[in-house]
């Protein structure tokens, strides 16, 4: 285990020496994640949402496990397996089963905004389980962000939106809550594990959960492995899932959580942009107002932390 930690430290030290490389990496990651929302939406033309998730994360897990094997990292200690299973269920199974099902009814751009309300939920759970204080600025930011969520959902209700759309939006918000819980659980139980190893095995266990759900719910449903659908699976599995999530864990060890949280705001922005350019989705008044409030809320809740002393 000590050798694995040393490998992590070597990689982190290389990134730390080149700040421009860190920020370029963050930009590339958020662009890939934003573009992935479009591919996730398009994949529903070829297969069910759970089937796509099973293919995507199976590819992602195999990619990471191959890298772990080449790096000679081995299998995590048995004491960590329980925590990896829980993290895999929270961060991979629950989040992406809910997101993919919600995407059947919700536009890709709006879905990305709702899921990336995650920092709001992370702040609440961190206050309870990590002992982080909810400052007046953070409380104000949370209230503004919640108002943004209600604006998106409430606007749809008032304009007579289809009930399936509202259900889809609610499922994606539940996915954001699960992601927030997963972030706190990782900090509590798995912070000291090698990033690549923890990412690979949590994704493996999460993928098993997705496959089980797929077999029960979508067995026998139409499946088309077309050139396009294979591209969607490979891109989201290898790049958006395996590589990006692993590199992101390394980034979190270099920059502070405030900066990391603000950086995730680029994802829904790119998601909305790509959805507009590729899918032709329109920006309604409710989406625009709600998205703006969520982004303002997260900024208000997080930026003020820079003025507080570091522990």
């Amino acid at each position: 285990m000590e050798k694995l930690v040393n490998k992590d430290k070597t990689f982190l030290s290389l990134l730390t020496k080149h700040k421009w490389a860190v920020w370029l990496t963050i930009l590339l990651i958020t662009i890939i994640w934003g573009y992935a929302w479009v591919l996730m939406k398009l994949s529903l033309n070829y297969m069910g949402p759970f089937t796509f998730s099973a293919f995507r994360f199976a590819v992602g897990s195999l990619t990471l496990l191959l890298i772990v094997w080449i790096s000679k990292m081995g299998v995590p200690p048995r004491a960590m397996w329980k925590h990896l299973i829980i993290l895999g269920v929270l961060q991979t199974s629950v989040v992406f089963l809910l997101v993919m099902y919600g995407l059947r009814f919700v536009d890709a751009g709006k879905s990305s905004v709702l899921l990336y309300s995650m920092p709001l939920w992370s702040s609440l759970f961190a206050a309870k389980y990590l002992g982080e204080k909810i400052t007046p600025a953070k409380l104000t930011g949370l209230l503004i962000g919640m108002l943004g969520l209600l604006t998106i959902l409430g606007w749809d209700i008032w304009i007579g939106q289809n009930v399936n759309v509202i259900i889809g939006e609610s499922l994606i918000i539940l996915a954001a809550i699960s992601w927030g819980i997963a972030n706190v659980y990782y900090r509590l139980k798995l912070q000291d594990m090698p990033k690549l190893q923890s990412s690979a095995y949590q994704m493996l266990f999460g993928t098993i959960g997705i496959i089980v759900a797929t077999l029960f719910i979508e067995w026998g449903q139409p499946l088309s492995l077309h050139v396009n659908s294979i591209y969607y699976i490979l891109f989201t599995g290898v790049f958006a899932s395996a590589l990006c999530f692993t590199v992101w864990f390394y980034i979190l060890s270099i920059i502070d959580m405030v900066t990391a949280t603000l950086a995730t705001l680029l994802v829904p922005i790119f998601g909305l942009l790509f959805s507009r350019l590729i899918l032709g989705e329109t920006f309604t008044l409710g989406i625009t107002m709600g998205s703006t409030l969520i982004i303002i809320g997260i900024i208000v809740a997080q930026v003020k932390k820079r003025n507080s002393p570091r522990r």
Side-chain angles (χ1 to χ4, degrees), residues 219-241:
W219 179 261
Q221 291 191 14
L223 168 63
S224 175
L225 291 177
H226 186 268
V227 173
N228 291 338
S229 61
I230 294 175
Y231 165 69
Y232 303 154
I233 291 170
L234 292 178
F235 186 93
T236 57
V238 176
F239 292 101
S241 299

Side-chain angles (χ1 to χ4, degrees), residues 119-120 123-124 133-146 258 293-308:
L120 302 175
S123 296
L124 291 175
K133 294 183 179 180
I134 298 184
T135 62
K138 182 176 288 188
L139 179 60
T140 302
L142 288 171
L143 293 175
I144 294 174
M146 296 298 179
V258 176
L293 287 172
I294 290 174
I295 292 173
I296 291 174
I298 295 175
I299 292 176
V300 170
Q302 301 296 326
V303 169
K304 291 298 182 181
K305 290 170 62 179
R306 293 182 182 273
N307 297 326
S308 61

Side-chain angles (χ1 to χ4, degrees), residues 214-221:
T214 303
L215 292 176
F216 274 99
I217 299 175
E218 292 186 353
W219 179 261
Q221 291 191 14

